[in-house]
Structure formats: C-alpha cells, structure tokens
Amino acid sequence: MATPSQWLAGARPRTLPAAIAPVLVGTGAAAALDGFRAVPALLALVVALALQVAVNYANDYSDGTRGTDADRVGPMRLVGSGAATPRQVLAAALLSFAVAGVAGLGLAAMSSWWLVAVGAACIAAAWTYTGGPLPYGYRALGEVFVFVFFGLVAVVGTTFAQTRTLAGLAFAAAVPPGLLIVAILVVNNLRDIAGDAASGKRTLAVVAGDRATRVGYVALVVAAFAVIIGIGIARPWALLGLAAAPFAVPPARTVLAGGRGPALIAALAGTGLLTLLAGVTFAAGLALSG
C-alpha cells in the first residue's frame, strides 16, 4: 500500500506550474480586456490542476503497465516501483478526471456550454498521451499536444470563460507559457532518453537525439521571452514578464553543460519554477495593461 507521501510524489507536484501558469496568464488577459471574473478564474484553475494530476497518474498507470518505467531516474513511479497496483493508480487518475469534469461543468454553466466539448478533448488528450492503443507521447508528438492544450487551449479557454470572447490578445499571450511548458516536457524527456529508447518509447528527445534536444530546450525558453517582448511593444506593462528571465539561467546552464540524471531533475524543477514565475509576472503585466 503506497503511503500518502508516495501518492503525493506520484502526482508529480513539480509539474503543477504547467497547470497554474496558463490560468494566471489567461486571467491576466481577461483583466486587460476588462473582463476579469473571479469565480470562473478559480474554476479554471481547479480544472487545470485536476487535469495535470490526472495526466500524471494516467501516465504512471500506462507507462507502468507497458514496462516503460522499469528503469527511471526521475520522480517516484507508483506502478513501476510496485508501491501501488495499476488498478489503484488508474482509480486515482479517474478520480482526478472526475474532479476536472465537475469543475468544468460549472465553468461551462457560467460561460458557454461549448466548453464541455473542449473539456472532453482535454481529457481525451490527457489519457492518450501514454494510454490507449496509439499513445501520441510514444510517437514524438507530446510537445505539439502540450503546446496546444497547456498553452493555447488553457490560456484562451480561461480568458473566454471570463470575457466570453476569443480575443487576439489571449492567443498571443498563450505562446510564452505554452513554450515554457513544452520546455518542462523537453527536459523531462531529455532525462529519460536512455530508458525511453530502450523501452521503445519514441519521444521527440529520442528521435532528435541528446544534443539537439538540449539546444531545443534553450530555444524554447528564449522564444518564450522573445514573444513577451513582442507583446510588450503594444502593451509595455507585459514586459514585467521579463523579471522571471534570470531564473532561466540555472536550468539552461545545466542542460547546455550536458547535465544528466539528478542534475536534470534539478533542471526540471528549475524550469517549473521559471514557468510559474513567468506566469505570475506576465499575468500581472497584462492585467496592468488594461
């Protein structure tokens, strides 16, 4: 029987900035458009957090049952380590999906019912990342789906739930957090290249190779801040997002220096912190620009 601390580790709390940052940025964009609404913003945050935890447990279940997690240096895997049975981890994933679904229904009731279809697509994407007969995470497509759902869908959806408009600002503002969240996935997959390649999991890192993945990580981070600068030309307050840039230096240095194993675990945590801080400062800048 897994302990509470093991269940918490299995939820991979270092990845939660990937859920929080887009909602903050989408809320900042809503405030810039004079449409901030607290309750939809909070419901969007619950949906995002529950989906992130759900996808983490679903990945643990799917990778564990496929044998992909047999030899990993990363965070605790409940199924792979034998701390919990596949059925227990699957139940945790389904419970988290249910929480997201209930909060999503409340969000749709307050804004538009078409968000139900968006939420269903998000759940399907979360499950099929490593689950189902054709998991796209095993086919070098994880980064594309992460950018679409954690970037565009999360930010634009959060803004829409508050303003009921599909604003160009929301689409532009979705790019920086989307790129940084992709960077989280890239450094995670960089750490796991050897194990993934051995188990037949063809992530983009496995396909591109070690060096290209490291360069790609840095390119994602640089591009995220470049887009913030671009938005800041029209909305100068958005440049507050650049205050987070110094926090990109430690993980980028580790990645470019060829760090492996535990060093990349620290880089993963650093990228999560960078994503959260960039989300907070960028969102604040957007809100002040209204």
Side-chain angles (χ1 to χ4, degrees), residues 110-228:
M110 298 183 67
S111 51
S112 171
W113 286 107
W114 72 263
L115 287 179
V116 173
V118 175
C122 290
I123 291 174
W127 176 256
T128 55
Y129 174 56
T130 56
L134 295 171
Y136 62 84
Y138 281 62
R139 288 163 174 79
L141 291 173
E143 286 77 4
V144 174
F145 278 79
V146 163
F147 180 78
V148 169
F149 284 97
F150 284 89
L152 294 176
V153 173
V155 174
V156 176
T158 298
T159 302
F160 178 85
Q162 297 176 62
T163 65
R164 297 188 179 91
T165 60
L166 292 171
L169 176 61
F171 283 92
V175 176
L179 292 175
L180 290 175
I181 293 165
V182 171
I184 292 176
L185 178 60
V186 167
V187 73
N188 180 79
N189 289 344
L190 173 65
R191 182 199 64 210
D192 293 336
I193 280 182
D196 287 341
S199 63
K201 184 177 182 180
R202 290 179 59 80
T203 64
L204 184 59
V206 170
V207 173
D210 184 273
R211 184 59 185 170
T213 300
R214 293 176 188 276
V215 173
Y217 169 86
V218 175
L220 287 166
V221 174
V222 171
F225 285 104
V227 174
I228 290 176

Side-chain angles (χ1 to χ4, degrees), residues 221-243:
V221 174
V222 171
F225 285 104
V227 174
I228 290 176
I229 292 172
I231 294 173
I233 294 173
R235 294 177 176 267
W237 277 109
L239 295 174
L240 277 176
L242 298 178

